[in-house]
Amino acid sequence: MKASVNSNFFVFNPKSYLYGQELLDLALAAEQLVDQDVSIFITAPYTDLGQLAEHTEQLIVTAQHLDGISPGRGMGAVLPDSLINVGVKAVFLNHAEHPMTLSQLTRALTICQEKGLISIVCADSVEEARAIAVLKPDIILCEPTELIGTGKTSGNDYIEETNKAIKELHPECLVMQAAGISSAGDVYQTILAGADGTGCTSGIVKAENPKQMLMDMVKAVKTAIQER
């Protein structure tokens, strides 16, 4: 059964910075922050996904990529069925660190739709966001590649323009804006500007107290929702 997603959400995407017990500890902290207003996604290296799914109930455990293949040939590929088997509920596609061709993305999205996986597809520009919206993913992450990890956010004009472009073509799609998010203040301003969700990597994993930063960022989502 496909996991449900609230209209507002936060994504903790530690990429390959964290694994094992340290990652699980943060996941358990995030688990306590989920409520009826905010869904929380957490990504992980492939080998940690099963452990996260086993020890959490409220988080949406998310793979950082998959390939549009079925069981059979595919040496070194990421098999969707194996992700589902260990409890994965969502997947990132077309991230700047793992770009996909249009045909690869289309096959992967078809698999997600057939198997009930939530799809989060990354778009670098307004034009790319429009093209992806036609494929009807669940979430589009609008994130200019040059801003990833810089601490510089996209700005309200970009947020408004991409939101409008996507919703015109796919009204049910949720829009995530996450470029340069490095503080709870960034999270607050991004949600206040109209994003459905946001997320963070380095701002959490490189913080002096990652657990506290995670808590502060999720709290900022909730505060912005109330004030928007």
Side-chain angles (χ1 to χ4, degrees):
M1 180 184 297
K2 191 169 187 175
S4 60
V5 183
N6 288 317
S7 56
N8 294 105
F9 59 91
F10 184 81
V11 179
F12 175 36
N13 178 25
K15 298 182 180 175
S16 295
Y17 285 98
L18 301 176
Y19 59 91
Q21 189 62 47
E22 188 176 8
L23 176 57
L24 179 58
D25 288 345
L26 277 172
L28 294 174
E31 173 91 347
Q32 303 306 311
L33 305 174
V34 180
D35 61 21
Q36 69 274 11
D37 296 321
V38 178
S39 295
I40 300 179
F41 294 76
I42 185 167
T43 81
Y46 303 118
T47 51
D48 287 279
L49 291 167
Q51 177 176 242
L52 294 187
E54 182 181 354
H55 289 88
T56 62
E57 295 181 359
Q58 305 302 318
L59 294 182
I60 301 174
V61 176
T62 306
Q64 296 174 1
H65 173 76
L66 63 70
D67 295 292
I69 61 172
S70 298
R73 294 184 62 179
M75 181 70 174
V78 182
L79 177 65
D81 297 76
S82 67
L83 297 176
I84 294 167
N85 185 58
V86 298
V88 168
K89 301 295 184 184
V91 62
F92 267 88
L93 297 170
N94 197 46
H95 191 275
E97 296 179 26
H98 207 312
M100 304 175 76
T101 66
L102 179 59
S103 61
Q104 289 171 334
L105 178 58
T106 301
R107 287 197 300 272
L109 273 172
T110 298
I111 290 281
C112 288
Q113 291 157 359
E114 289 175 350
K115 297 185 178 293
L117 284 168
I118 298 166
S119 53
I120 306 172
V121 183
C122 303
D124 177 51
S125 64
V126 177
E127 292 75 20
E128 191 173 14
R130 285 196 184 99
I132 291 170
V134 174
L135 300 175
K136 298 192 180 304
D138 297 295
I139 299 170
I140 295 179
L141 165 54
C142 300
E143 189 174 52
T145 301
E146 67 271 14
L147 297 183
I148 295 174
T150 64
K152 181 180 179 181
T153 58
S154 303
N156 288 1
D157 289 344
Y158 177 87
I159 291 173
E160 292 172 8
E161 187 176 4
T162 49
N163 280 6
K164 183 174 183 291
I166 291 166
K167 301 287 187 179
E168 284 178 349
L169 292 166
H170 182 17
E172 297 80 22
C173 187
L174 297 176
V175 183
M176 178 180 173
Q177 305 276 354
I181 298 294
S182 60
S183 69
D186 292 337
V187 169
Y188 172 81
Q189 292 297 335
T190 298
I191 299 297
L192 203 63
D196 297 309
T198 189
C200 187
T201 297
S202 56
I204 295 174
V205 299
K206 294 183 178 180
E208 184 175 342
N209 186 335
K211 188 177 296 185
Q212 186 62 53
M213 180 61 78
L214 175 61
M215 294 170 63
D216 290 345
M217 286 186 171
V218 175
K219 182 179 179 181
V221 174
K222 297 177 181 180
T223 300
I225 293 168
Q226 294 170 356
E227 297 182 7
R228 192 165 63 186

